[in-house]
Amino acid sequence: MPVTYQSKEFKDISLSFKVHPVTKDILVLKNSDAIKKSLINLVRTNVGDRFYEKNLGTKINNYLFENFRKGSDDLSLKREIQNVIRNYEPRVRLNTVSILVDTNNYSLEVSINYQIIGQEDIPQEVQFLLSS
């Protein structure tokens, strides 16, 4: 008989620090919203930006200002994103990372497909645009 794990509830504070109008508490992100925001923050964090986690983050911003070489650069960028997610976001199992490069507008569209641990039948995806 296969073992089924039920995912627990995930909560993170909103980094916008907006206040709930009734309770006057800082807004809380829950479950899939918390994980999506965490993935975006991990990818957008520059390596060395966090004092106690100097290896956390990616060098994705460097790619926005350089001549992007199709093939080698997008492969190394995908590996960086995969590594930061695997090392710093234990709530997900990563499926795929894809990057669309727009060299004319100096932007990258990042798409991350993953599954939340404990919810294996429900694939999730987060997409965001990085531009200079």
Side-chain angles (χ1 to χ4, degrees), residues 3 6 12-13 20 25 68 82 89 91-92 99 113:
V3 177
Q6 186 65 24
D12 290 345
I13 64 167
H20 189 279
D25 289 333
F68 198 86
Q82 290 168 343
E89 186 49 85
R91 301 177 287 186
V92 302
I99 299 168
N113 186 288

PDB file of all heavy atoms in Angstrom, residues 3 6 12-13 20 25 68 82 89 91-92 99 113:
ATOM      1  N   VAL A   3       2.295   4.965   0.566  1.00  0.00           N
ATOM      2  CA  VAL A   3       2.150   5.926   1.653  1.00  0.00           C
ATOM      3  C   VAL A   3       1.847   7.292   1.053  1.00  0.00           C
ATOM      4  O   VAL A   3       2.522   7.753   0.150  1.00  0.00           O
ATOM      5  CB  VAL A   3       3.453   5.998   2.495  1.00  0.00           C
ATOM      6  CG1 VAL A   3       3.315   7.051   3.568  1.00  0.00           C
ATOM      7  CG2 VAL A   3       3.766   4.646   3.081  1.00  0.00           C
ATOM      8  N   GLN A   6       0.318  14.113   3.578  1.00  0.00           N
ATOM      9  CA  GLN A   6      -0.474  15.328   3.468  1.00  0.00           C
ATOM     10  C   GLN A   6       0.433  16.517   3.745  1.00  0.00           C
ATOM     11  O   GLN A   6       1.173  16.530   4.725  1.00  0.00           O
ATOM     12  CB  GLN A   6      -1.628  15.304   4.477  1.00  0.00           C
ATOM     13  CG  GLN A   6      -2.581  16.459   4.342  1.00  0.00           C
ATOM     14  CD  GLN A   6      -3.338  16.438   3.020  1.00  0.00           C
ATOM     15  OE1 GLN A   6      -3.498  15.400   2.410  1.00  0.00           O
ATOM     16  NE2 GLN A   6      -3.773  17.588   2.578  1.00  0.00           N
ATOM     17  N   ASP A  12       4.211  32.536   5.243  1.00  0.00           N
ATOM     18  CA  ASP A  12       5.334  33.469   5.214  1.00  0.00           C
ATOM     19  C   ASP A  12       4.770  34.869   5.361  1.00  0.00           C
ATOM     20  O   ASP A  12       3.638  35.134   4.948  1.00  0.00           O
ATOM     21  CB  ASP A  12       6.092  33.389   3.878  1.00  0.00           C
ATOM     22  CG  ASP A  12       6.868  32.100   3.690  1.00  0.00           C
ATOM     23  OD1 ASP A  12       7.073  31.381   4.684  1.00  0.00           O
ATOM     24  OD2 ASP A  12       7.265  31.810   2.552  1.00  0.00           O
ATOM     25  N   ILE A  13       5.562  35.767   5.922  1.00  0.00           N
ATOM     26  CA  ILE A  13       5.098  37.152   5.984  1.00  0.00           C
ATOM     27  C   ILE A  13       5.318  37.792   4.616  1.00  0.00           C
ATOM     28  O   ILE A  13       6.213  37.427   3.870  1.00  0.00           O
ATOM     29  CB  ILE A  13       5.806  37.973   7.088  1.00  0.00           C
ATOM     30  CG1 ILE A  13       7.305  38.103   6.813  1.00  0.00           C
ATOM     31  CG2 ILE A  13       5.534  37.417   8.444  1.00  0.00           C
ATOM     32  CD1 ILE A  13       7.967  39.139   7.673  1.00  0.00           C
ATOM     33  N   HIS A  20      -2.846  44.548   7.473  1.00  0.00           N
ATOM     34  CA  HIS A  20      -4.229  44.130   7.295  1.00  0.00           C
ATOM     35  C   HIS A  20      -5.127  45.237   7.832  1.00  0.00           C
ATOM     36  O   HIS A  20      -4.908  45.746   8.935  1.00  0.00           O
ATOM     37  CB  HIS A  20      -4.478  42.821   8.051  1.00  0.00           C
ATOM     38  CG  HIS A  20      -5.799  42.211   7.752  1.00  0.00           C
ATOM     39  ND1 HIS A  20      -6.957  42.634   8.355  1.00  0.00           N
ATOM     40  CD2 HIS A  20      -6.140  41.216   6.894  1.00  0.00           C
ATOM     41  CE1 HIS A  20      -7.962  41.926   7.892  1.00  0.00           C
ATOM     42  NE2 HIS A  20      -7.496  41.054   7.004  1.00  0.00           N
ATOM     43  N   ASP A  25      -2.296  43.604  11.601  1.00  0.00           N
ATOM     44  CA  ASP A  25      -1.109  42.748  11.531  1.00  0.00           C
ATOM     45  C   ASP A  25      -0.502  42.835  10.138  1.00  0.00           C
ATOM     46  O   ASP A  25      -1.179  43.189   9.167  1.00  0.00           O
ATOM     47  CB  ASP A  25      -1.476  41.285  11.805  1.00  0.00           C
ATOM     48  CG  ASP A  25      -1.838  41.037  13.251  1.00  0.00           C
ATOM     49  OD1 ASP A  25      -1.353  41.788  14.120  1.00  0.00           O
ATOM     50  OD2 ASP A  25      -2.598  40.089  13.509  1.00  0.00           O
ATOM     51  N   PHE A  68      24.127  38.313 -24.077  1.00  0.00           N
ATOM     52  CA  PHE A  68      23.645  36.976 -23.740  1.00  0.00           C
ATOM     53  C   PHE A  68      23.925  36.043 -24.910  1.00  0.00           C
ATOM     54  O   PHE A  68      23.512  36.304 -26.034  1.00  0.00           O
ATOM     55  CB  PHE A  68      22.155  37.037 -23.451  1.00  0.00           C
ATOM     56  CG  PHE A  68      21.639  35.857 -22.699  1.00  0.00           C
ATOM     57  CD1 PHE A  68      21.696  35.827 -21.324  1.00  0.00           C
ATOM     58  CD2 PHE A  68      21.108  34.774 -23.366  1.00  0.00           C
ATOM     59  CE1 PHE A  68      21.213  34.750 -20.613  1.00  0.00           C
ATOM     60  CE2 PHE A  68      20.628  33.691 -22.673  1.00  0.00           C
ATOM     61  CZ  PHE A  68      20.686  33.679 -21.288  1.00  0.00           C
ATOM     62  N   GLN A  82      18.203  26.359 -10.693  1.00  0.00           N
ATOM     63  CA  GLN A  82      17.927  25.026 -10.156  1.00  0.00           C
ATOM     64  C   GLN A  82      18.653  24.804  -8.837  1.00  0.00           C
ATOM     65  O   GLN A  82      18.077  24.290  -7.872  1.00  0.00           O
ATOM     66  CB  GLN A  82      18.336  23.950 -11.168  1.00  0.00           C
ATOM     67  CG  GLN A  82      17.450  23.903 -12.381  1.00  0.00           C
ATOM     68  CD  GLN A  82      18.023  23.050 -13.498  1.00  0.00           C
ATOM     69  OE1 GLN A  82      19.210  22.731 -13.518  1.00  0.00           O
ATOM     70  NE2 GLN A  82      17.173  22.697 -14.453  1.00  0.00           N
ATOM     71  N   GLU A  89      14.936  25.914  -0.950  1.00  0.00           N
ATOM     72  CA  GLU A  89      13.478  25.819  -0.860  1.00  0.00           C
ATOM     73  C   GLU A  89      13.070  24.350  -0.739  1.00  0.00           C
ATOM     74  O   GLU A  89      12.752  23.698  -1.722  1.00  0.00           O
ATOM     75  CB  GLU A  89      12.815  26.471  -2.078  1.00  0.00           C
ATOM     76  CG  GLU A  89      11.297  26.537  -2.004  1.00  0.00           C
ATOM     77  CD  GLU A  89      10.770  27.086  -0.706  1.00  0.00           C
ATOM     78  OE1 GLU A  89      10.667  28.311  -0.560  1.00  0.00           O
ATOM     79  OE2 GLU A  89      10.466  26.274   0.195  1.00  0.00           O
ATOM     80  N   ARG A  91      10.453  23.012   0.401  1.00  0.00           N
ATOM     81  CA  ARG A  91       9.025  22.726   0.300  1.00  0.00           C
ATOM     82  C   ARG A  91       8.594  22.286  -1.087  1.00  0.00           C
ATOM     83  O   ARG A  91       7.449  21.904  -1.294  1.00  0.00           O
ATOM     84  CB  ARG A  91       8.211  23.963   0.702  1.00  0.00           C
ATOM     85  CG  ARG A  91       8.502  24.434   2.116  1.00  0.00           C
ATOM     86  CD  ARG A  91       7.752  25.682   2.459  1.00  0.00           C
ATOM     87  NE  ARG A  91       8.310  26.848   1.768  1.00  0.00           N
ATOM     88  CZ  ARG A  91       7.917  28.098   1.972  1.00  0.00           C
ATOM     89  NH1 ARG A  91       6.958  28.352   2.849  1.00  0.00           N
ATOM     90  NH2 ARG A  91       8.466  29.088   1.314  1.00  0.00           N
ATOM     91  N   VAL A  92       9.525  22.335  -2.077  1.00  0.00           N
ATOM     92  CA  VAL A  92       9.148  21.997  -3.449  1.00  0.00           C
ATOM     93  C   VAL A  92      10.079  20.950  -4.042  1.00  0.00           C
ATOM     94  O   VAL A  92      11.222  20.782  -3.627  1.00  0.00           O
ATOM     95  CB  VAL A  92       9.142  23.239  -4.369  1.00  0.00           C
ATOM     96  CG1 VAL A  92       8.204  24.298  -3.859  1.00  0.00           C
ATOM     97  CG2 VAL A  92      10.522  23.795  -4.585  1.00  0.00           C
ATOM     98  N   ILE A  99      13.765  29.609 -19.660  1.00  0.00           N
ATOM     99  CA  ILE A  99      14.100  31.025 -19.758  1.00  0.00           C
ATOM    100  C   ILE A  99      13.912  31.468 -21.194  1.00  0.00           C
ATOM    101  O   ILE A  99      14.419  30.835 -22.118  1.00  0.00           O
ATOM    102  CB  ILE A  99      15.558  31.266 -19.334  1.00  0.00           C
ATOM    103  CG1 ILE A  99      15.758  30.839 -17.893  1.00  0.00           C
ATOM    104  CG2 ILE A  99      15.951  32.719 -19.520  1.00  0.00           C
ATOM    105  CD1 ILE A  99      17.196  30.764 -17.473  1.00  0.00           C
ATOM    106  N   ASN A 113       8.557  25.393 -13.040  1.00  0.00           N
ATOM    107  CA  ASN A 113       7.508  24.402 -12.838  1.00  0.00           C
ATOM    108  C   ASN A 113       7.957  23.488 -11.708  1.00  0.00           C
ATOM    109  O   ASN A 113       9.079  22.984 -11.728  1.00  0.00           O
ATOM    110  CB  ASN A 113       7.275  23.612 -14.127  1.00  0.00           C
ATOM    111  CG  ASN A 113       6.113  22.672 -14.022  1.00  0.00           C
ATOM    112  OD1 ASN A 113       6.201  21.659 -13.336  1.00  0.00           O
ATOM    113  ND2 ASN A 113       5.028  22.996 -14.699  1.00  0.00           N
TER     114      ASN A 113
END
